[in-house]
Amino acid sequence: MKKLNTILLGSLFVSLLAINSCDPFDELYLTLAMDIQLNTEGAGSDISIVDTLCLSEFEDYDDNKDKIEEIRYVSSAYLTLDATIGLQAQTLKLYLYQEDGITELFNYTIQNFYADSTKIKPLAIVLTQQEKNNISTYLANPQKDKCFVGKLTATNVQPNNTLYFLKSKLDFLTELKIKPQ
Amino acid sequence: MKLFLSTVLLSVLLFSSLSFSQIGVNLNSLASNDAKEYVKPVSTWFGTFFNSGTYYDASVADFFGFKFNLIGMWTIIPENQKSFNPNPQLTGVGDVGPTATVFGNKASYYLGSKGFYTYPSGLSLNAVPSGIYQFAASTYNTELLLRFFPRTKFDETKVGIFGFGIKHEISSYIPMLPVDIAVQILYNNFNFEFNDGDPVNYTKLKSNNFAFNVHASKTFAGMFIVYSGLQYESSSMDFSYYFEDKNNYYPATGNKIQNLSVDGDNNFRFTLGGAVKLGLFVVNADLNLTTLTTFTTGLSLDF
């Protein structure tokens, strides 16, 4: 009887292994690039711009919403798309908040900001582990749409006596893990 | 999402019975050097697919023989066919991590002067199930095998298959040999074209596959066959697609149709299988050890 059980269990194990190895689908991942546009024009020594985006604005998220198992933060960057020549600031700060606009996910400071230099080369934003965890926690329960509020502030902006403009964006990448069909 | 190219590449896997997810692939965004690496496993798969299931018996009728075979295949996609090291060839962009091929699942990215560029994901496949039919007729110990699907237009899509094989039983010249031995040469061609008038959607694929093998078989009790063979094989694929360069990183080649020539990773294979003859019918199964390990099963009408 014991021998029969062993044979049956062995057969079951082999069958499960065979069935499992016959699944043609691997785990699915999609990289989702999102950006928050931060544009302004005016005069004055300080800048403050806020914009919002939601996951549901992206087709890759919307199409696969019900099958997403996990959303993981990958990377982020700041870049100046266009700006008044010579635009600079003593300090430029970037913030990312949850949709309430209060709960901070990360902030990043650029001292001695020169718009021209980030036009040539985007600035990779390096987050602390705590900041990455903040984002991952916020992105838990991926079936629920999540919105983000991006904010840019700048102080001691030059030239501050004439009209200037700044077109910039905060890019961030996430990875969607999707259940195989 | 460019569902169109997803459809194309899924159609390429047209023998598959799978219902793929809508994730698909989006190779329009790939520059030609990266696109070549991205689709290379498809060329390898074609080479594996078309050069499988072409025999289960080395004995060939000396007067008249006819076969009709339905062949099912299960091709395993190994890890080394699921990713490649991309090379965007852009100033200021350093090494980029490995990214998915058409069969892979994890896409890479780089930070370019216009922001993040993300490579396309693949179909996330561990295996590709597929099938094909073929006819064979034989006389004078020589067999002609044919695979044919006439070039047919379905709306904006044209598709066609033509393949043939010639096999000769060389053991017929050597009396008293305990096994049957045959040599076989194979050529298979697959054509696919999508043209709806919009160059962005244009896609053309032509796959050419060649193989030469020596195989042997032994029949027991008139109904059980054991067979094995060694095969040299090669595959190449001409592929045209529209490269949509949204960031204008490639002014010389971007936003134009690209024409690629991609060689598959096919060289040698070893086949081992068995078959059972049940009157006019034969059921067979074999294992093919090659770049993409493939299991085939066949149901044949054979007289």
Side-chain angles (χ1 to χ4, degrees):
Chain A
M1 193 63 183
K2 197 177 172 185
K3 198 175 176 183
L4 182 66
N5 281 344
T6 310
I7 292 167
L8 286 172
L9 277 171
S11 306
L12 183 66
F13 177 74
V14 170
S15 307
L16 285 172
L17 199 69
I19 290 165
N20 193 43
S21 65
C22 282
D23 179 6
F25 291 108
D26 204 348
E27 287 174 329
L28 303 172
Y29 293 91
L30 279 181
T31 309
L32 182 61
M34 300 184 276
D35 64 76
I36 296 178
Q37 300 282 333
L38 299 163
N39 303 328
T40 190
E41 57 182 34
S45 61
D46 293 333
I47 293 174
S48 180
I49 321 165
V50 176
D51 198 18
T52 304
L53 71 75
C54 299
L55 289 171
S56 56
E57 293 169 28
F58 297 88
E59 208 174 330
D60 281 345
Y61 173 81
D62 237 22
D63 287 352
N64 301 289
K65 192 174 173 178
D66 299 335
K67 296 174 283 179
I68 296 173
E69 288 183 331
E70 185 188 352
I71 304 178
R72 192 176 68 84
Y73 168 82
V74 177
S75 189
S76 52
Y78 167 81
L79 68 152
T80 302
L81 302 170
D82 201 3
T84 304
I85 294 168
L87 185 74
Q88 55 181 283
Q90 187 183 350
T91 308
L92 184 135
K93 273 194 158 187
L94 298 161
Y95 301 87
L96 189 70
Y97 297 101
Q98 293 185 13
E99 62 185 299
D100 59 11
I102 300 164
T103 314
E104 190 178 294
L105 296 169
F106 73 75
N107 72 70
Y108 190 78
T109 304
I110 306 165
Q111 297 290 354
N112 302 320
F113 168 76
Y114 294 92
D116 293 340
S117 62
T118 49
K119 229 183 335 185
I120 301 161
K121 190 164 169 49
L123 194 72
I125 296 173
V126 182
L127 300 188
T128 63
Q129 192 54 48
Q130 182 56 52
E131 288 169 328
K132 288 178 188 174
N133 293 344
N134 291 345
I135 298 172
S136 297
T137 307
Y138 183 52
L139 290 170
N141 187 13
Q143 276 70 42
K144 189 176 179 296
D145 186 22
K146 303 282 162 53
C147 295
F148 298 88
V149 178
K151 186 179 175 186
L152 179 151
T153 63
T155 55
N156 282 337
V157 177
Q158 299 290 330
N160 65 2
N161 52 353
T162 54
L163 276 175
Y164 58 77
F165 72 95
L166 173 68
K167 287 182 181 174
S168 63
K169 64 174 181 168
L170 178 62
D171 265 13
F172 63 106
L173 285 184
T174 56
E175 187 178 72
L176 315 182
K177 184 180 174 187
I178 295 162
K179 280 181 211 161
Q181 291 222 327
Chain B
M1 185 187 288
K2 280 263 174 292
L3 274 180
F4 167 71
L5 264 172
S6 309
T7 313
V8 170
L9 270 160
L10 297 180
S11 302
V12 165
L13 307 171
L14 78 173
F15 307 101
S16 170
S17 58
L18 293 173
S19 165
F20 288 95
S21 74
Q22 58 185 308
I23 288 161
V25 295
N26 182 12
L27 65 76
N28 289 76
S29 68
L30 286 173
S32 59
N33 61 313
D34 282 339
K36 205 170 172 173
E37 295 300 315
Y38 184 79
V39 299
K40 187 172 180 165
V42 174
S43 185
T44 307
W45 177 80
F46 271 119
T48 307
F49 168 75
F50 279 116
N51 294 322
S52 293
T54 60
Y55 61 85
Y56 53 76
D57 190 350
S59 170
V60 183
D62 53 3
F63 177 62
F64 178 74
F66 177 81
K67 287 176 193 164
F68 173 67
N69 320 102
L70 288 171
I71 298 154
M73 296 174 214
W74 185 267
T75 302
I76 294 167
I77 309 296
E79 288 304 313
N80 66 6
Q81 297 286 319
K82 291 182 182 175
S83 67
F84 70 99
N85 290 314
N87 180 10
Q89 298 177 341
L90 292 172
T91 312
V93 176
D95 290 344
V96 182
T99 193
T101 65
V102 66
F103 291 132
N105 61 358
K106 278 213 166 196
S108 191
Y109 67 92
Y110 62 81
L111 184 57
S113 60
K114 308 276 174 66
F116 285 114
Y117 169 83
T118 56
Y119 281 88
S121 295
L123 296 166
S124 302
L125 290 174
N126 286 320
V128 182
S130 53
I132 197 166
Y133 61 85
Q134 64 196 22
F135 301 88
S138 53
T139 188
Y140 292 106
N141 304 110
T142 304
E143 179 188 89
L144 174 67
L145 178 145
L146 278 178
R147 290 165 166 178
F148 185 63
F149 184 80
R151 197 172 287 200
T152 310
K153 197 170 181 191
F154 302 97
D155 297 325
E156 290 97 359
T157 307
K158 273 192 249 176
V159 65
I161 295 171
F162 174 71
F164 72 91
I166 296 170
K167 167 170 158 175
H168 187 64
E169 186 192 338
I170 54 174
S171 54
S172 62
Y173 303 107
I174 312 164
M176 307 297 286
L177 206 64
V179 292
D180 298 314
I181 300 171
V183 290
Q184 187 178 42
I185 189 165
L186 300 157
Y187 171 77
N188 284 275
N189 169 286
F190 172 76
N191 280 284
F192 177 94
E193 186 176 11
F194 182 92
N195 189 357
D196 64 355
D198 183 349
V200 175
N201 293 334
Y202 182 77
T203 307
K204 190 177 179 182
L205 189 155
K206 185 179 176 184
S207 167
N208 290 305
N209 305 279
F210 169 81
F212 173 80
N213 68 60
V214 179
H215 59 274
S217 69
K218 174 81 177 170
T219 304
F220 299 94
M223 62 183 294
F224 299 106
I225 306 167
V226 176
Y227 61 96
S228 185
L230 274 174
Q231 180 163 284
Y232 167 78
E233 57 195 29
S234 68
S235 66
S236 66
M237 185 171 85
D238 296 325
F239 184 70
S240 304
Y241 74 105
Y242 186 86
F243 170 33
E244 200 172 9
D245 181 20
K246 285 182 178 165
N247 291 321
N248 286 316
Y249 286 153
Y250 303 89
T253 56
N255 302 314
K256 287 176 190 155
I257 288 173
Q258 312 290 309
N259 299 302
L260 311 177
S261 183
V262 187
D263 289 334
D265 209 357
N266 307 86
N267 291 302
F268 290 95
R269 81 163 67 191
F270 171 71
T271 302
L272 182 65
V276 181
K277 280 188 174 178
L278 302 161
L280 294 177
F281 294 96
V282 178
V283 178
N284 76 294
D286 57 52
L287 164 68
N288 296 268
L289 299 175
T290 178
T291 307
L292 307 180
T293 299
T294 298
F295 297 92
T296 75
T297 56
L299 175 64
S300 307
L301 177 67
D302 183 343
F303 57 87

